[in-house]
Amino acid sequence: MPGPSGDHVLDLGPRPVPELFAELDGIRSLVQRTDAATLPRLDPSTLQAPVAPRTMLCLGYNYRGHVPDGVDPTADDPASPDVFVKTANTFGGPNDPVVIPAVADDVDYEGEIAVVIGRRAHAVSVDDALSYVAGYTLLNDVSDRSWQRKQSQWALGKCFDGFAPLGPWIVTADEVDPQNLLVEVVRDGEVTVSQSTATTIFSVAFVVHHLSQVLTLEPGDVISTGTPQKLPAAQAAHRPLAPGDAVTVRVGGLGDLTTRFIAPPGEPA
Amino acid sequence: MPGPSGDHVLDLGPRPVPELFAELDGIRSLVQRTDAATLPRLDPSTLQAPVAPRTMLCLGYNYRGHVPDGVDPTADDPASPDVFVKTANTFGGPNDPVVIPAVADDVDYEGEIAVVIGRRAHAVSVDDALSYVAGYTLLNDVSDRSWQRKQSQWALGKCFDGFAPLGPWIVTADEVDPQNLLVEVVRDGEVTVSQSTATTIFSVAFVVHHLSQVLTLEPGDVISTGTPQKLPAAQAAHRPLAPGDAVTVRVGGLGDLTTRFIAPPGEPA
């Protein structure tokens, strides 16, 4: 688990999330007792998906837009988060390219902070909710708008194979204030998204509480917190993703998740 | 795998769907060589969920309503099926009761035929699609309308724990014409749904084709084909499900799936 303060790796082997969560104090103590100079350096190209969720839930609209001075920014807040599911075929890691499907005409990116559940959570209160969070990672909620618009439910636009790259790692919850992070997306060298989680409509604590009233959340389940809107220039210059593009989701303290987009096998890149 | 013609059980032990699908000829031959009288009788109370899907996809509106003579019944057909996901926490078997959650005010049933995928399917044609189907079972797509209506996406209304009882068993695809089945639901002794799959907008073959363009479908994945509308009297007498209720989904040739609804643990029934 590399953190922002170092790039050495203490390999604990493959460990399920609940076990890591339960043993976190011991692992921290081990890290403190270990001389980083004796450890290998991180090779980011070897990183795989930091978690294999049983269930991934995602939020739609969850960041407030810009409003003129004097207008209440909460005036248009919905009463409840809009929630959809990304299926297991979508899950990928930080080094997995995403295939632009031949049938998808309007593939888009969404840069999001993803919450990883650490303990089974059912009907937990807002006050207790963050104690069920193991940590945070990044998600590019890749979406094909052409299929998303075919019907009222977004599932098909969201669930093409590989459309949920996660990573680069999980930062443990104690190192993060989830309501004070700057979410940025960089496409072709241009910052296209830049907005603080201070502007979300629903906090992480509220979302975990809200969802846990419906689903019993299991360790390793992922809840993605929605994307900020694109900046006006990027909105105006909308261009579907194409083979050869790369998109980076970056959040200070959580890392960078860069996803390459490629052609289907057998088609020219 | 008990079928409609008998109630004796040849226990093959737990077997994953792809293995059963691959060995079906051999299993049939074994069944034919075996004297049913030597086999134990089926005890339906011992049946568990016939499949543990990795992914369960469900269709919304997929049956045409009644139209007056002279009106084209296809006039209001949507161009694409509306698809949503039920998550792993919802899956149950034919003997699992469903808890009416304390926070769910308007729990409803939907009687559906569920398609079980037998072979990995990616971008399969309509003509080939049925060859990827292992068989059929029944789903009660239990839904809480109060949570379903909170937002544009239906996920939370559909994904309470236990809201996808499946069963009673899988009937292999060769025994079924999926476009000529009568879907019925019985609540409190009254038939509240009764409509043939001949009136679906999207056939099973089309749906498997359509979804396989998006997701690579894996053996054991389930696609539920939507519910017919309730009969007018049942629509007029809408009453949310409550502890003590029981609902039976029945389809000739596929069996009966009866689900009991109960109060949360610790609350009076």
Side-chain angles (χ1 to χ4, degrees):
Chain A
M1 279 191 286
S5 62
D7 58 355
H8 294 269
V9 175
L10 177 60
D11 188 350
L12 302 170
R15 302 278 276 276
V17 164
E19 188 182 308
L20 285 170
F21 191 82
E23 297 180 10
L24 211 51
D25 288 344
I27 293 169
R28 282 214 186 79
S29 165
L30 178 63
V31 169
Q32 283 170 354
R33 291 196 310 272
T34 306
D35 177 4
T38 66
L39 297 173
R41 288 201 170 266
L42 171 68
D43 176 357
S45 73
T46 63
L47 290 172
Q48 298 184 12
V51 61
R54 188 193 61 151
T55 299
M56 184 185 288
L57 301 164
C58 298
L59 266 61
Y61 179 67
N62 191 33
Y63 283 80
R64 298 191 180 103
H66 179 76
V67 294
D69 281 348
V71 173
D72 176 4
T74 70
D76 290 333
D77 285 0
S80 294
D82 218 351
V83 179
F84 60 94
V85 178
K86 289 189 87 116
T87 45
N89 63 303
T90 68
F91 304 161
N95 290 296
D96 294 326
V98 171
V99 170
I100 304 278
V103 298
D105 296 330
D106 195 4
V107 178
D108 199 3
Y109 56 86
E110 298 192 357
E112 310 197 355
I113 294 170
V115 178
V116 181
I117 296 296
R119 292 192 288 149
R120 177 173 290 190
H122 179 69
V124 301
S125 70
V126 176
D127 286 348
D128 289 343
L130 291 184
S131 74
Y132 292 84
V133 174
Y136 300 90
T137 188
L138 303 178
L139 172 73
N140 190 332
D141 172 20
V142 184
S143 309
D144 178 65
R145 306 301 182 196
S146 64
W147 281 73
Q148 188 176 340
R149 281 189 297 259
K150 281 181 196 282
Q151 58 281 308
S152 78
Q153 301 300 294
W154 305 337
L156 293 189
K158 299 288 191 176
C159 290
F160 281 90
D161 292 347
F163 268 27
L166 275 172
W169 44 62
I170 297 169
V171 177
T172 52
D174 57 303
E175 301 196 41
V176 181
D177 172 1
Q179 303 316 136
N180 186 25
L181 297 168
L182 180 65
V183 177
E184 294 190 299
V185 178
V186 182
R187 178 183 179 172
D188 299 334
E190 183 197 353
V191 174
T192 60
V193 168
S194 181
Q195 192 163 340
S196 168
T197 57
T199 65
T200 52
I201 300 165
F202 302 105
S203 68
V204 170
F206 177 83
V207 170
V208 171
H209 150 73
H210 186 72
L211 296 179
S212 78
Q213 296 189 278
V214 175
L215 302 87
T216 298
L217 300 169
E218 297 288 346
D221 282 354
V222 167
I223 302 168
S224 198
T225 55
T227 187
Q229 285 198 310
K230 293 195 181 86
L231 296 168
Q235 282 189 43
H238 173 69
R239 177 172 63 78
L241 289 166
D245 281 334
V247 172
T248 298
V249 182
R250 73 178 179 205
V251 176
L254 296 184
D256 289 11
L257 172 70
T258 297
T259 301
R260 292 181 305 113
F261 292 84
I262 63 173
E267 293 193 14
Chain B
M1 279 192 287
S5 63
D7 57 357
H8 293 269
V9 175
L10 178 58
D11 188 352
L12 302 168
R15 300 278 275 273
V17 164
E19 188 182 308
L20 284 169
F21 192 82
E23 296 180 9
L24 211 50
D25 288 346
I27 293 169
R28 282 214 186 77
S29 165
L30 177 63
V31 169
Q32 284 171 353
R33 292 196 310 273
T34 305
D35 178 5
T38 67
L39 297 174
R41 287 198 170 268
L42 171 67
D43 175 358
S45 73
T46 64
L47 289 172
Q48 300 183 12
V51 63
R54 188 194 59 151
T55 299
M56 183 185 287
L57 301 164
C58 299
L59 267 61
Y61 179 68
N62 190 33
Y63 283 80
R64 297 191 180 103
H66 179 76
V67 293
D69 282 348
V71 173
D72 175 4
T74 71
D76 290 332
D77 284 1
S80 295
D82 218 350
V83 178
F84 62 93
V85 178
K86 287 188 88 115
T87 44
N89 63 302
T90 67
F91 304 161
N95 289 298
D96 294 325
V98 172
V99 170
I100 305 279
V103 297
D105 296 330
D106 195 4
V107 178
D108 200 4
Y109 55 86
E110 297 193 357
E112 309 197 356
I113 294 169
V115 178
V116 182
I117 296 296
R119 291 192 289 148
R120 179 174 289 193
H122 179 70
V124 302
S125 70
V126 175
D127 286 350
D128 289 344
L130 290 184
S131 75
Y132 292 85
V133 174
Y136 300 90
T137 188
L138 303 178
L139 171 73
N140 190 333
D141 172 18
V142 183
S143 309
D144 177 65
R145 305 303 180 197
S146 63
W147 281 72
Q148 189 175 340
R149 281 189 297 257
K150 282 181 197 280
Q151 58 282 307
S152 78
Q153 302 300 294
W154 305 336
L156 293 189
K158 298 288 190 175
C159 289
F160 281 90
D161 292 346
F163 268 27
L166 276 171
W169 43 63
I170 298 170
V171 177
T172 53
D174 58 302
E175 300 194 43
V176 179
D177 172 0
Q179 303 317 136
N180 186 23
L181 296 168
L182 180 64
V183 177
E184 294 191 298
V185 177
V186 182
R187 176 182 180 174
D188 299 335
E190 183 198 354
V191 175
T192 61
V193 168
S194 180
Q195 192 162 340
S196 168
T197 57
T199 65
T200 53
I201 299 165
F202 302 105
S203 70
V204 170
F206 177 83
V207 170
V208 171
H209 150 73
H210 186 71
L211 296 179
S212 79
Q213 296 188 279
V214 175
L215 301 87
T216 298
L217 300 168
E218 298 288 346
D221 282 354
V222 166
I223 302 168
S224 198
T225 55
T227 186
Q229 287 198 307
K230 293 195 180 85
L231 296 169
Q235 283 190 42
H238 173 68
R239 177 173 64 80
L241 289 166
D245 280 335
V247 172
T248 298
V249 182
R250 72 178 179 204
V251 177
L254 297 184
D256 289 11
L257 171 69
T258 297
T259 301
R260 291 181 305 115
F261 292 84
I262 63 173
E267 294 193 12

